[in-house]
Amino acid sequence: MGEMEQMKKEADGLKTQIEAARKAVADTTMSAASAAVAPAPRVQLKTRRTLKGHLAKIYAMHWATDSRLMVSASQDGKLLIWDSHSGNKINAVPLKSSWVMTCSYAPSGNLVASGGLDNMCTVYNLKTPVVKTVKELDAHTGYLACCRFLSDSEILTASGDTTCALWDIESGKQKTVFLNHVGDCMCLSLSPDMNTFISGACDSLAKLWDVRDGTCKQTFQGHTSDVNAISFFHNGNTVITGSDDCTCKMFDLRADQEVISYQDAQLNAGVTSLALSVSGRLMFAGYDDFNCNIWDTLKGEKVGVLSGHDNRVSCTGVPPDGMCVCTGSWDSFLKIWN
Amino acid sequence: MSSNSNLPSMRRLVEQLRLEASVERIKVSQAAAELQQYCLLNATKDALLVGVPTGSNPFREPRSCSLL
């Protein structure tokens, strides 16, 4: 038997082994285990702010750690920094390339970053008298789908070139490249302890990575189409994904498998974005059908809906203090609800 | 998962599968119990779940009249 044949046999054997090991611990499902938990109340949130200012589709938004400021990115070629309490615009950052797909606020509040079809992640300093470009991180060979700061000196990116990367902002170089997805990487979420992150891609998989050594530690299957959105639960052991297959799924990292699927026979729209409330009990998922559905994460039931946008909900975010949820849309508006 | 016809990438695939196979797994029932506990313990801090009193909602103007 040639080496190739032997390797194929071993690979098949390992896949079978993994499936069997997962089945062996699947003594229940999340919804069955949560049958005795009191249902979450029916959630009815009102629009408290409609933030108007962008002139084209909004593609991304991200809350600052102060739970008050936020950054939004639109294909009108601007990043806007908003004070969500007053509804005022604090800053407008003109972008070199208007084809933006992602934006991020650094935990310190000093920097923001954006990127898109220019294949670059550009980092801006908000604290200089005039907003200045700090660095253009240029090495990906595909679009920048998502970026998240670890600190003022490091940022993680997910790209359409199927890789994720950890960058040193000062030198502008990639410190670590995360190779394993076979489809465009669409989203990423950093674990609360920042030692790992999870990515979702067009290969329908979610992968867990070690930030420092670059290894892919676990792979999660279940979706049947692109994984567009992903978020760590605040306890660091669970992850929720949203996909073009119209479902969201919860994967438990320690059980190494899907434990619940959030779906509805009447839901025929892809999931674009998702955000968790601070306890994790509620999940806000934005869909192509202009709505944002609210799910009880433990029971897998829909408990509310946020309707109000006139086009696709492209991004959602809950600030660290959990006081509200923000939705951003192709209708060019951001709405704040609680 | 696509299997490439070349040897190095096949070796990488096998390496990766060996790594993933060696993960220690806990029972779903245990994971579920711990997750429920986490959610329930933090429920009272979750404004979107339990609501925010109007006075302390930064997104809502208080309904009292102001003295001019």
Side-chain angles (χ1 to χ4, degrees), chain A residues 254-309:
Chain A
R254 296 176 307 160
D256 188 41
Q257 59 192 277
E258 176 186 332
V259 293
I260 201 169
S261 189
Y262 306 95
Q263 57 194 79
D264 190 302
Q266 280 137 0
L267 268 176
N268 284 316
V271 178
T272 60
S273 52
L274 67 91
L276 292 166
S277 69
V278 294
S279 71
R281 187 67 191 270
L282 298 177
M283 187 245 304
F284 300 87
Y287 292 75
D288 288 342
D289 66 2
F290 311 176
N291 286 328
C292 180
N293 289 315
I294 311 174
W295 296 88
D296 175 337
T297 55
L298 297 181
K299 288 181 168 292
E301 296 162 353
K302 218 173 88 166
V303 293
V305 64
L306 302 175
S307 316
H309 283 293

Short mmCIF file of all heavy atoms in Angstrom, two decimals, chain A residues 254-309:
data_model
loop_
_atom_site.label_atom_id
_atom_site.label_comp_id
_atom_site.label_asym_id
_atom_site.label_seq_id
_atom_site.Cartn_x
_atom_site.Cartn_y
_atom_site.Cartn_z
N ARG A 254 -16.09 21.92 25.23
CA ARG A 254 -15.60 20.77 26.00
C ARG A 254 -16.28 19.47 25.60
O ARG A 254 -15.71 18.40 25.76
CB ARG A 254 -15.73 21.06 27.49
CG ARG A 254 -14.85 22.24 27.92
CD ARG A 254 -15.03 22.60 29.38
NE ARG A 254 -16.43 22.83 29.69
CZ ARG A 254 -16.92 22.78 30.92
NH1 ARG A 254 -16.15 22.51 31.94
NH2 ARG A 254 -18.21 23.00 31.14
N ALA A 255 -17.51 19.57 25.07
CA ALA A 255 -18.19 18.36 24.58
C ALA A 255 -17.80 18.14 23.12
O ALA A 255 -18.10 17.11 22.52
CB ALA A 255 -19.70 18.52 24.71
N ASP A 256 -17.14 19.16 22.53
CA ASP A 256 -16.63 19.07 21.16
C ASP A 256 -17.72 18.80 20.12
O ASP A 256 -17.53 18.02 19.18
CB ASP A 256 -15.55 17.97 21.08
CG ASP A 256 -14.82 17.95 19.75
OD1 ASP A 256 -14.53 19.04 19.22
OD2 ASP A 256 -14.59 16.84 19.21
N GLN A 257 -18.91 19.42 20.28
CA GLN A 257 -19.96 19.19 19.30
C GLN A 257 -21.09 20.20 19.38
O GLN A 257 -21.18 20.97 20.34
CB GLN A 257 -20.54 17.78 19.48
CG GLN A 257 -21.13 17.53 20.86
CD GLN A 257 -21.40 16.05 21.06
OE1 GLN A 257 -22.43 15.56 20.61
NE2 GLN A 257 -20.49 15.36 21.71
N GLU A 258 -21.94 20.11 18.36
CA GLU A 258 -23.15 20.93 18.32
C GLU A 258 -24.09 20.43 19.41
O GLU A 258 -24.28 19.23 19.54
CB GLU A 258 -23.80 20.77 16.95
CG GLU A 258 -25.12 21.51 16.80
CD GLU A 258 -25.81 21.21 15.47
OE1 GLU A 258 -25.10 20.91 14.49
OE2 GLU A 258 -27.05 21.28 15.43
N VAL A 259 -24.65 21.35 20.18
CA VAL A 259 -25.57 20.93 21.23
C VAL A 259 -26.98 21.48 21.06
O VAL A 259 -27.90 21.06 21.76
CB VAL A 259 -25.04 21.27 22.65
CG1 VAL A 259 -23.80 20.45 22.97
CG2 VAL A 259 -24.75 22.76 22.78
N ILE A 260 -27.17 22.43 20.17
CA ILE A 260 -28.51 22.94 19.88
C ILE A 260 -28.48 23.71 18.57
O ILE A 260 -27.46 24.30 18.22
CB ILE A 260 -29.02 23.83 21.05
CG1 ILE A 260 -30.54 23.95 21.04
CG2 ILE A 260 -28.42 25.21 21.01
CD1 ILE A 260 -31.09 24.58 22.30
N SER A 261 -29.62 23.68 17.87
CA SER A 261 -29.73 24.43 16.62
C SER A 261 -30.91 25.38 16.73
O SER A 261 -31.98 24.98 17.22
CB SER A 261 -29.93 23.46 15.45
OG SER A 261 -29.83 24.13 14.23
N TYR A 262 -30.72 26.62 16.32
CA TYR A 262 -31.80 27.62 16.43
C TYR A 262 -32.37 27.78 15.03
O TYR A 262 -31.76 28.41 14.17
CB TYR A 262 -31.24 28.95 16.95
CG TYR A 262 -30.48 28.78 18.25
CD1 TYR A 262 -29.10 28.62 18.25
CD2 TYR A 262 -31.16 28.73 19.47
CE1 TYR A 262 -28.41 28.44 19.43
CE2 TYR A 262 -30.46 28.55 20.66
CZ TYR A 262 -29.10 28.40 20.63
OH TYR A 262 -28.41 28.21 21.81
N GLN A 263 -33.52 27.17 14.82
CA GLN A 263 -34.11 27.24 13.48
C GLN A 263 -35.61 27.16 13.56
O GLN A 263 -36.18 26.77 14.58
CB GLN A 263 -33.56 26.12 12.60
CG GLN A 263 -33.78 24.74 13.19
CD GLN A 263 -32.94 23.70 12.46
OE1 GLN A 263 -31.75 23.56 12.70
NE2 GLN A 263 -33.57 22.98 11.56
N ASP A 264 -36.22 27.55 12.46
CA ASP A 264 -37.66 27.67 12.39
C ASP A 264 -38.04 27.35 10.95
O ASP A 264 -37.42 27.88 10.03
CB ASP A 264 -37.99 29.13 12.73
CG ASP A 264 -39.46 29.36 12.94
OD1 ASP A 264 -40.23 29.07 12.01
OD2 ASP A 264 -39.83 29.83 14.02
N ALA A 265 -39.05 26.53 10.75
CA ALA A 265 -39.45 26.15 9.39
C ALA A 265 -39.80 27.35 8.53
O ALA A 265 -39.63 27.34 7.32
CB ALA A 265 -40.63 25.19 9.45
N GLN A 266 -40.28 28.43 9.19
CA GLN A 266 -40.68 29.60 8.41
C GLN A 266 -39.53 30.55 8.13
O GLN A 266 -39.69 31.52 7.40
CB GLN A 266 -41.78 30.38 9.15
CG GLN A 266 -43.14 29.76 8.96
CD GLN A 266 -43.90 29.74 10.27
OE1 GLN A 266 -43.40 30.17 11.30
NE2 GLN A 266 -45.10 29.21 10.23
N LEU A 267 -38.37 30.28 8.73
CA LEU A 267 -37.24 31.17 8.52
C LEU A 267 -36.44 30.71 7.31
O LEU A 267 -35.79 29.67 7.35
CB LEU A 267 -36.31 31.16 9.75
CG LEU A 267 -36.56 32.21 10.82
CD1 LEU A 267 -35.62 31.97 11.98
CD2 LEU A 267 -36.37 33.61 10.28
N ASN A 268 -36.50 31.53 6.24
CA ASN A 268 -35.80 31.15 5.03
C ASN A 268 -34.74 32.14 4.65
O ASN A 268 -34.38 32.27 3.49
CB ASN A 268 -36.80 31.03 3.87
CG ASN A 268 -37.59 29.75 3.99
OD1 ASN A 268 -37.02 28.70 4.27
ND2 ASN A 268 -38.89 29.83 3.82
N ALA A 269 -34.24 32.88 5.64
CA ALA A 269 -33.25 33.90 5.34
C ALA A 269 -31.95 33.55 6.05
O ALA A 269 -31.97 33.01 7.16
CB ALA A 269 -33.76 35.26 5.79
N GLY A 270 -30.84 33.87 5.41
CA GLY A 270 -29.53 33.61 6.00
C GLY A 270 -29.28 34.51 7.20
O GLY A 270 -29.84 35.60 7.30
N VAL A 271 -28.44 34.01 8.11
CA VAL A 271 -28.07 34.79 9.29
C VAL A 271 -26.82 35.59 8.95
O VAL A 271 -25.85 35.05 8.43
CB VAL A 271 -27.76 33.85 10.49
CG1 VAL A 271 -27.32 34.66 11.71
CG2 VAL A 271 -28.98 33.00 10.81
N THR A 272 -26.86 36.88 9.21
CA THR A 272 -25.74 37.75 8.85
C THR A 272 -24.86 38.09 10.06
O THR A 272 -23.68 38.40 9.89
CB THR A 272 -26.26 39.10 8.34
OG1 THR A 272 -27.04 39.70 9.39
CG2 THR A 272 -27.14 38.92 7.12
N SER A 273 -25.46 38.08 11.25
CA SER A 273 -24.75 38.62 12.41
C SER A 273 -25.41 38.09 13.68
O SER A 273 -26.57 37.66 13.64
CB SER A 273 -24.85 40.14 12.40
OG SER A 273 -26.22 40.52 12.26
N LEU A 274 -24.69 38.10 14.79
CA LEU A 274 -25.32 37.72 16.05
C LEU A 274 -24.60 38.34 17.23
O LEU A 274 -23.42 38.70 17.13
CB LEU A 274 -25.40 36.19 16.19
CG LEU A 274 -24.13 35.37 16.35
CD1 LEU A 274 -23.76 35.18 17.81
CD2 LEU A 274 -24.35 33.99 15.74
N ALA A 275 -25.34 38.48 18.34
CA ALA A 275 -24.76 39.04 19.56
C ALA A 275 -25.47 38.42 20.75
O ALA A 275 -26.66 38.09 20.66
CB ALA A 275 -24.93 40.56 19.58
N LEU A 276 -24.76 38.25 21.85
CA LEU A 276 -25.32 37.64 23.05
C LEU A 276 -25.53 38.68 24.14
O LEU A 276 -24.74 39.60 24.28
CB LEU A 276 -24.36 36.57 23.58
CG LEU A 276 -24.20 35.34 22.71
CD1 LEU A 276 -23.00 34.53 23.13
CD2 LEU A 276 -25.45 34.48 22.79
N SER A 277 -26.61 38.48 24.92
CA SER A 277 -26.81 39.36 26.08
C SER A 277 -25.77 38.97 27.13
O SER A 277 -25.14 37.91 27.00
CB SER A 277 -28.23 39.19 26.63
OG SER A 277 -28.38 37.91 27.22
N VAL A 278 -25.60 39.77 28.18
CA VAL A 278 -24.48 39.51 29.11
C VAL A 278 -24.56 38.18 29.84
O VAL A 278 -23.54 37.58 30.16
CB VAL A 278 -24.23 40.64 30.13
CG1 VAL A 278 -23.76 41.89 29.46
CG2 VAL A 278 -25.42 40.87 31.00
N SER A 279 -25.77 37.69 30.11
CA SER A 279 -25.85 36.39 30.80
C SER A 279 -25.73 35.26 29.78
O SER A 279 -25.54 34.11 30.14
CB SER A 279 -27.17 36.26 31.54
OG SER A 279 -28.24 36.10 30.60
N GLY A 280 -25.89 35.61 28.52
CA GLY A 280 -25.85 34.61 27.46
C GLY A 280 -27.20 33.97 27.19
O GLY A 280 -27.35 33.21 26.24
N ARG A 281 -28.18 34.31 28.00
CA ARG A 281 -29.49 33.66 27.83
C ARG A 281 -30.18 34.09 26.55
O ARG A 281 -30.93 33.31 25.95
CB ARG A 281 -30.37 34.02 29.04
CG ARG A 281 -31.69 33.27 29.05
CD ARG A 281 -31.51 31.78 29.27
NE ARG A 281 -32.74 31.05 29.02
CZ ARG A 281 -33.66 30.78 29.95
NH1 ARG A 281 -33.51 31.23 31.18
NH2 ARG A 281 -34.73 30.09 29.63
N LEU A 282 -29.95 35.32 26.12
CA LEU A 282 -30.58 35.80 24.89
C LEU A 282 -29.57 35.97 23.78
O LEU A 282 -28.45 36.44 24.01
CB LEU A 282 -31.25 37.16 25.14
CG LEU A 282 -32.36 37.20 26.17
CD1 LEU A 282 -32.85 38.63 26.35
CD2 LEU A 282 -33.52 36.28 25.79
N MET A 283 -30.00 35.58 22.58
CA MET A 283 -29.14 35.74 21.41
C MET A 283 -29.91 36.55 20.39
O MET A 283 -31.07 36.23 20.09
CB MET A 283 -28.78 34.37 20.84
CG MET A 283 -27.75 34.43 19.74
SD MET A 283 -28.33 33.93 18.13
CE MET A 283 -28.93 32.31 18.44
N PHE A 284 -29.28 37.60 19.89
CA PHE A 284 -29.89 38.46 18.89
C PHE A 284 -29.25 38.13 17.55
O PHE A 284 -28.04 38.29 17.39
CB PHE A 284 -29.63 39.94 19.24
CG PHE A 284 -30.21 40.31 20.58
CD1 PHE A 284 -29.48 40.12 21.74
CD2 PHE A 284 -31.50 40.82 20.67
CE1 PHE A 284 -30.02 40.43 22.99
CE2 PHE A 284 -32.06 41.13 21.91
CZ PHE A 284 -31.31 40.93 23.06
N ALA A 285 -30.05 37.62 16.60
CA ALA A 285 -29.50 37.22 15.32
C ALA A 285 -30.12 38.05 14.20
O ALA A 285 -31.35 38.12 14.10
CB ALA A 285 -29.75 35.74 15.09
N GLY A 286 -29.27 38.67 13.40
CA GLY A 286 -29.73 39.47 12.28
C GLY A 286 -29.85 38.60 11.03
O GLY A 286 -29.01 37.72 10.81
N TYR A 287 -30.90 38.82 10.26
CA TYR A 287 -31.16 37.98 9.08
C TYR A 287 -31.28 38.82 7.82
O TYR A 287 -31.52 40.02 7.86
CB TYR A 287 -32.48 37.21 9.28
CG TYR A 287 -32.43 36.15 10.35
CD1 TYR A 287 -32.45 36.50 11.70
CD2 TYR A 287 -32.35 34.80 10.03
CE1 TYR A 287 -32.39 35.53 12.70
CE2 TYR A 287 -32.30 33.83 11.02
CZ TYR A 287 -32.32 34.20 12.35
OH TYR A 287 -32.26 33.24 13.33
N ASP A 288 -31.20 38.13 6.67
CA ASP A 288 -31.36 38.79 5.37
C ASP A 288 -32.78 39.31 5.17
O ASP A 288 -33.01 40.12 4.27
CB ASP A 288 -31.07 37.79 4.24
CG ASP A 288 -29.61 37.46 4.13
OD1 ASP A 288 -28.79 38.21 4.67
OD2 ASP A 288 -29.28 36.44 3.49
N ASP A 289 -33.75 38.81 5.95
CA ASP A 289 -35.15 39.21 5.73
C ASP A 289 -35.52 40.49 6.48
O ASP A 289 -36.70 40.74 6.74
CB ASP A 289 -36.11 38.07 6.11
CG ASP A 289 -36.10 37.77 7.61
OD1 ASP A 289 -35.38 38.45 8.36
OD2 ASP A 289 -36.83 36.85 8.03
N PHE A 290 -34.54 41.27 6.87
CA PHE A 290 -34.68 42.59 7.49
C PHE A 290 -34.97 42.54 8.99
O PHE A 290 -35.10 43.58 9.62
CB PHE A 290 -35.75 43.48 6.82
CG PHE A 290 -35.68 43.61 5.33
CD1 PHE A 290 -36.65 44.33 4.65
CD2 PHE A 290 -34.68 43.02 4.56
CE1 PHE A 290 -36.61 44.47 3.26
CE2 PHE A 290 -34.64 43.14 3.17
CZ PHE A 290 -35.62 43.87 2.53
N ASN A 291 -35.13 41.35 9.54
CA ASN A 291 -35.41 41.24 10.97
C ASN A 291 -34.22 40.83 11.80
O ASN A 291 -33.23 40.33 11.27
CB ASN A 291 -36.50 40.18 11.22
CG ASN A 291 -37.86 40.64 10.83
OD1 ASN A 291 -38.17 41.82 10.92
ND2 ASN A 291 -38.68 39.72 10.37
N CYS A 292 -34.39 41.02 13.10
CA CYS A 292 -33.42 40.50 14.05
C CYS A 292 -34.26 39.65 15.00
O CYS A 292 -35.15 40.17 15.67
CB CYS A 292 -32.74 41.65 14.77
SG CYS A 292 -31.52 41.13 15.97
N ASN A 293 -34.02 38.35 15.03
CA ASN A 293 -34.78 37.48 15.92
C ASN A 293 -34.06 37.29 17.24
O ASN A 293 -32.83 37.25 17.29
CB ASN A 293 -35.00 36.11 15.28
CG ASN A 293 -35.99 36.18 14.14
OD1 ASN A 293 -37.04 36.80 14.26
ND2 ASN A 293 -35.66 35.57 13.02
N ILE A 294 -34.85 37.18 18.31
CA ILE A 294 -34.28 37.00 19.64
C ILE A 294 -34.55 35.57 20.07
O ILE A 294 -35.70 35.13 20.08
CB ILE A 294 -34.91 37.98 20.66
CG1 ILE A 294 -34.91 39.41 20.10
CG2 ILE A 294 -34.16 37.91 21.99
CD1 ILE A 294 -35.64 40.41 20.97
N TRP A 295 -33.50 34.84 20.43
CA TRP A 295 -33.61 33.43 20.79
C TRP A 295 -33.25 33.19 22.25
O TRP A 295 -32.36 33.85 22.79
CB TRP A 295 -32.66 32.58 19.94
CG TRP A 295 -32.96 32.59 18.48
CD1 TRP A 295 -32.52 33.48 17.55
CD2 TRP A 295 -33.77 31.65 17.76
NE1 TRP A 295 -33.00 33.16 16.31
CE2 TRP A 295 -33.78 32.04 16.40
CE3 TRP A 295 -34.50 30.51 18.15
CZ2 TRP A 295 -34.48 31.33 15.43
CZ3 TRP A 295 -35.19 29.80 17.17
CH2 TRP A 295 -35.18 30.22 15.82
N ASP A 296 -33.93 32.25 22.87
CA ASP A 296 -33.58 31.75 24.21
C ASP A 296 -32.50 30.71 23.94
O ASP A 296 -32.78 29.66 23.36
CB ASP A 296 -34.82 31.13 24.85
CG ASP A 296 -34.53 30.46 26.20
OD1 ASP A 296 -33.36 30.07 26.46
OD2 ASP A 296 -35.47 30.30 26.99
N THR A 297 -31.26 31.00 24.32
CA THR A 297 -30.15 30.12 23.95
C THR A 297 -30.23 28.75 24.58
O THR A 297 -29.76 27.78 24.00
CB THR A 297 -28.79 30.75 24.31
OG1 THR A 297 -28.80 31.09 25.70
CG2 THR A 297 -28.53 31.99 23.48
N LEU A 298 -30.84 28.64 25.78
CA LEU A 298 -30.89 27.34 26.44
C LEU A 298 -31.97 26.44 25.86
O LEU A 298 -31.79 25.24 25.71
CB LEU A 298 -31.13 27.50 27.95
CG LEU A 298 -30.05 28.24 28.74
CD1 LEU A 298 -30.43 28.29 30.22
CD2 LEU A 298 -28.70 27.56 28.58
N LYS A 299 -33.13 27.04 25.58
CA LYS A 299 -34.26 26.23 25.12
C LYS A 299 -34.39 26.16 23.62
O LYS A 299 -35.15 25.34 23.10
CB LYS A 299 -35.55 26.78 25.74
CG LYS A 299 -35.66 26.49 27.22
CD LYS A 299 -36.95 27.03 27.75
CE LYS A 299 -37.26 26.54 29.14
NZ LYS A 299 -37.56 25.12 29.25
N GLY A 300 -33.70 27.02 22.91
CA GLY A 300 -33.77 26.97 21.45
C GLY A 300 -35.05 27.54 20.88
O GLY A 300 -35.41 27.23 19.75
N GLU A 301 -35.73 28.39 21.64
CA GLU A 301 -37.01 28.96 21.17
C GLU A 301 -36.86 30.44 20.87
O GLU A 301 -36.10 31.14 21.53
CB GLU A 301 -38.07 28.80 22.27
CG GLU A 301 -38.38 27.35 22.57
CD GLU A 301 -39.07 27.16 23.92
OE1 GLU A 301 -39.20 28.13 24.71
OE2 GLU A 301 -39.47 26.01 24.19
N LYS A 302 -37.66 30.88 19.89
CA LYS A 302 -37.67 32.30 19.55
C LYS A 302 -38.52 33.01 20.60
O LYS A 302 -39.64 32.58 20.89
CB LYS A 302 -38.32 32.47 18.18
CG LYS A 302 -37.64 33.55 17.35
CD LYS A 302 -38.20 33.59 15.94
CE LYS A 302 -39.40 34.52 15.88
NZ LYS A 302 -39.76 34.85 14.49
N VAL A 303 -37.98 34.08 21.19
CA VAL A 303 -38.74 34.79 22.23
C VAL A 303 -39.03 36.25 21.89
O VAL A 303 -39.59 36.98 22.70
CB VAL A 303 -38.03 34.72 23.61
CG1 VAL A 303 -38.02 33.30 24.12
CG2 VAL A 303 -36.63 35.29 23.53
N GLY A 304 -38.65 36.66 20.69
CA GLY A 304 -38.95 38.05 20.33
C GLY A 304 -38.37 38.36 18.97
O GLY A 304 -37.67 37.55 18.37
N VAL A 305 -38.70 39.55 18.50
CA VAL A 305 -38.15 39.99 17.21
C VAL A 305 -37.97 41.50 17.25
O VAL A 305 -38.73 42.22 17.92
CB VAL A 305 -39.08 39.55 16.05
CG1 VAL A 305 -40.42 40.23 16.13
CG2 VAL A 305 -38.44 39.83 14.71
N LEU A 306 -36.93 41.97 16.59
CA LEU A 306 -36.72 43.41 16.45
C LEU A 306 -37.00 43.74 14.99
O LEU A 306 -36.23 43.36 14.11
CB LEU A 306 -35.27 43.78 16.79
CG LEU A 306 -34.76 43.40 18.19
CD1 LEU A 306 -33.28 43.74 18.31
CD2 LEU A 306 -35.54 44.11 19.27
N SER A 307 -38.15 44.39 14.76
CA SER A 307 -38.46 44.78 13.37
C SER A 307 -38.42 46.29 13.30
O SER A 307 -38.88 46.97 14.21
CB SER A 307 -39.88 44.39 12.99
OG SER A 307 -40.16 43.12 13.42
N GLY A 308 -37.90 46.78 12.22
CA GLY A 308 -37.87 48.23 12.11
C GLY A 308 -36.97 48.66 10.98
O GLY A 308 -37.05 49.78 10.49
N HIS A 309 -36.08 47.75 10.57
CA HIS A 309 -35.19 48.11 9.47
C HIS A 309 -35.88 47.84 8.13
O HIS A 309 -36.72 46.94 8.03
CB HIS A 309 -33.89 47.31 9.55
CG HIS A 309 -32.95 47.84 10.62
ND1 HIS A 309 -32.35 49.08 10.52
CD2 HIS A 309 -32.53 47.31 11.78
CE1 HIS A 309 -31.58 49.28 11.59
NE2 HIS A 309 -31.67 48.22 12.37
#
